Amino acid sequence: MEKRRVYDYLIVGAGLFGCVFAHELHQAGFKCLVIDKRGHLGGNTYCRDEGGIKVHEFGAHVFHTSSERIWAYVNSFVPFNRYTNCPLARYKNKVFSLPFNMNTFNQLWGVTTPEKARLKIREQVREYSTKFPKNLEEYALSVVGSDIYHRFIKGYTEKQWGREARELPAFLIKRIPLRFTYDNNYFDDRYQGIPIGGYNKLTDALLKGVDTKVNVDYLKDKVALDLLACKVVYTGPLDAFFGYEIGRLEYRSLAFEHENLDCYDYQGNAVVNFTEFEIPYTRIIEHKHFEFGKQPYTVVSREYPRAFTRGSEPFYPINDARNNQLADAYRVMMNRIPNLIFGGRLAEYKYYDMDQVIASALTKVKQEIISQNGFESEQNNGIGAI
Ligand code: UDP
């Protein structure tokens, strides 16, 4: 590596991918600068402190993973609490359990046993059972049937994605478990929780000792910033990197309306999904419940899905066939650029969960350190230790 530059690596974006990458490189003895366009570190995991309540400014982040290695990794920076995500669905002022499980089936149909619930679902899907569902609607109807689809999926999905469910890929709802037990835990993963004291504890610990600068727009000042380091790790949007040269990728954006309330408990749960289309927001998050807060006040956030326009924040990649093809083409272009590494939800254009982002960063940084050192660094007690 050329040693004349101030930094070995310039890491663009202080989200989880950038933080993990920077941490591991720093541990291995490389000099890194992490920059971010926004005014804070931690990307979308950033939490604002409101009198002890950690407000998930950019939407609810519940860490979950089945990987012992990733769980041990994040817990080595900050202990995690025992928060278990059990969101509720509100449909026409009635409250139902999520994910779809025996509690939901009982609330919907009065059935009390798994056998009766299976019979009911079988009856519900009979007219829709199609061997090869072509879209999200066909898939949902063929798996859970009409009652569940129309109450809990269609309205939520169409406002979330701004498209008809018939025009969306089925994989989007394969994230929601379907169970025939009385289990309201949203995730099937072995481990889940929230960092005690909030996500900033995790990202600050990852960035300890690393130089950082916020309010720096890499793409606006690319030529000068590139001169600072021998290599660049880019975690921003894939298409923006190339000035949209071969087309624009689509994203879904979000807007949040945060409200401080002078009451102890607003909704009795961290996450309530509003599944009917007519209500413009998809969820209300009550942040104190992520950390079992006992403050006499509370903070809630309404999450509004928004079209992605120039200047708005990209939150979700829209991984349909057209966008995936375009992203593949951009990835080929990216791979041809020397001294550039890219990763994370935006730069890979993948609907990654936090644990997947961390796993991907660890894999890529390990390869990078090996390629620089010719062997695994002894200083690198981060990845090597796990
Ligand atoms: N979904 C739904 N009803 C719900 C919750 C989710 O139809 O009450 C669908 C929706 O299409 C959503 C997808 O399932 O985009 C994945 O939901 P999840 O909550 O896992 O997504 P997140 O926005 O938290 O990444």
Side-chain angles (χ1 to χ4, degrees):
M1 184 182 279
E2 186 194 350
K3 279 288 174 194
R4 277 174 292 118
R5 308 222 171 174
V6 184
Y7 292 99
D8 297 316
Y9 293 87
L10 172 70
I11 295 166
V12 181
L16 277 180
F17 189 96
C19 289
V20 168
F21 220 95
H23 175 82
E24 295 300 327
L25 287 172
H26 178 71
Q27 289 294 107
F30 295 99
K31 199 158 186 255
C32 303
L33 171 66
V34 176
I35 57 170
D36 202 289
K37 191 162 98 167
R38 296 194 276 182
H40 64 266
L41 301 169
N44 285 349
T45 69
Y46 171 76
C47 296
R48 171 170 51 89
D49 191 296
E50 272 290 339
I53 298 175
K54 304 297 182 295
V55 178
H56 294 213
E57 282 270 291
F58 304 99
H61 281 76
V62 180
F63 196 91
H64 57 99
T65 186
S66 288
S67 162
E68 206 170 316
R69 179 179 78 108
I70 299 297
W71 186 241
Y73 185 77
V74 292
N75 275 272
S76 72
F77 298 98
V78 52
F80 277 57
N81 71 14
R82 59 148 192 91
Y83 175 79
T84 302
N85 199 29
C86 298
L88 297 166
R90 249 177 84 167
Y91 178 77
K92 299 212 189 279
N93 264 337
K94 285 213 171 90
V95 175
F96 297 87
S97 303
L98 287 176
F100 311 126
N101 73 85
M102 281 307 299
N103 289 303
T104 332
F105 308 143
N106 176 261
Q107 292 147 359
L108 261 181
W109 303 311
V111 292
T112 51
T113 64
E115 194 192 340
K116 291 212 169 101
R118 281 182 200 278
L119 272 176
K120 188 76 193 167
I121 296 250
R122 221 169 285 152
E123 195 183 290
Q124 289 265 316
V125 301
R126 193 169 300 133
E127 63 180 292
Y128 304 107
S129 51
T130 147
K131 261 201 175 141
F132 301 107
K134 288 185 292 298
N135 53 55
L136 191 151
E137 176 167 291
E138 286 186 10
Y139 173 78
L141 286 169
S142 69
V143 175
V144 290
S146 178
D147 283 357
I148 292 180
Y149 175 67
H150 285 102
R151 280 178 179 75
F152 306 127
I153 297 176
K154 185 176 164 61
Y156 186 101
T157 295
E158 294 190 344
K159 59 185 172 180
Q160 165 73 10
W161 295 100
R163 288 190 193 178
E164 287 192 18
R166 256 174 275 134
E167 290 166 18
L168 287 164
F171 85 88
L172 293 172
I173 54 160
K174 292 188 181 167
R175 295 163 62 87
I176 315 177
L178 170 68
R179 306 193 182 104
F180 292 89
T181 51
Y182 287 91
D183 179 0
N184 294 333
N185 180 354
Y186 199 64
F187 301 118
D188 284 327
D189 288 312
R190 190 158 160 203
Y191 307 104
Q192 69 179 299
I194 303 282
I196 295 174
Y199 280 90
N200 301 2
K201 294 245 181 225
L202 172 64
T203 50
D204 288 350
L206 283 164
L207 292 175
K208 194 166 171 218
V210 176
D211 287 355
T212 59
K213 267 190 197 156
V214 293
N215 297 313
V216 180
D217 189 339
Y218 172 73
L219 294 176
K220 273 205 179 127
D221 206 9
K222 187 172 178 307
V223 178
L225 290 165
D226 280 346
L227 290 173
L228 290 177
C230 306
K231 280 195 160 187
V232 171
V233 179
Y234 177 79
T235 73
L238 189 52
D239 53 350
F241 183 88
F242 292 99
Y244 313 99
E245 197 179 315
I246 54 167
R248 281 183 182 266
L249 290 165
E250 290 174 290
Y251 302 89
R252 193 72 177 144
S253 192
L254 296 174
F256 298 94
E257 186 183 85
H258 304 291
E259 196 181 359
N260 293 10
L261 296 171
D262 195 14
C263 73
Y264 179 70
D265 197 345
Y266 176 73
Q267 62 182 14
N269 205 42
V271 184
V272 178
N273 291 2
F274 288 76
T275 57
E276 59 204 270
F277 187 79
E278 292 68 26
I279 293 182
Y281 42 86
T282 46
R283 323 185 237 221
I284 296 185
I285 307 303
E286 187 168 11
H287 304 270
K288 69 193 298 183
H289 295 305
F290 288 126
E291 295 196 66
F292 317 108
K294 299 276 184 284
Q295 298 83 355
Y297 41 83
T298 194
V299 184
V300 297
S301 303
R302 288 176 191 80
E303 185 173 317
Y304 295 85
R306 288 277 186 267
F308 174 70
T309 50
R310 284 170 207 192
S312 59
E313 285 292 336
F315 277 84
Y316 295 93
I318 300 184
N319 290 106
D320 61 10
R322 180 220 160 244
N323 284 303
N324 285 343
Q325 219 175 358
L326 186 55
D328 282 345
Y330 273 125
R331 277 191 285 265
V332 170
M333 288 160 68
M334 204 65 135
N335 279 322
R336 285 199 197 115
I337 300 179
N339 299 324
L340 179 77
I341 297 161
F342 64 100
R345 200 188 248 211
L346 295 177
E348 290 185 51
Y349 200 70
K350 287 191 179 146
Y351 190 173
Y352 273 149
D353 285 331
M354 288 182 281
D355 63 326
Q356 295 170 313
V357 170
I358 293 175
S360 149
L362 287 174
T363 303
K364 285 198 178 177
V365 75
K366 186 172 186 176
Q367 284 163 2
E368 180 60 19
I369 292 168
I370 292 171
S371 81
Q372 288 301 327
N373 291 342
F375 56 87
E376 218 167 320
S377 165
E378 277 173 28
Q379 277 173 283
N380 179 12
N381 47 20
I383 320 171
I386 290 168

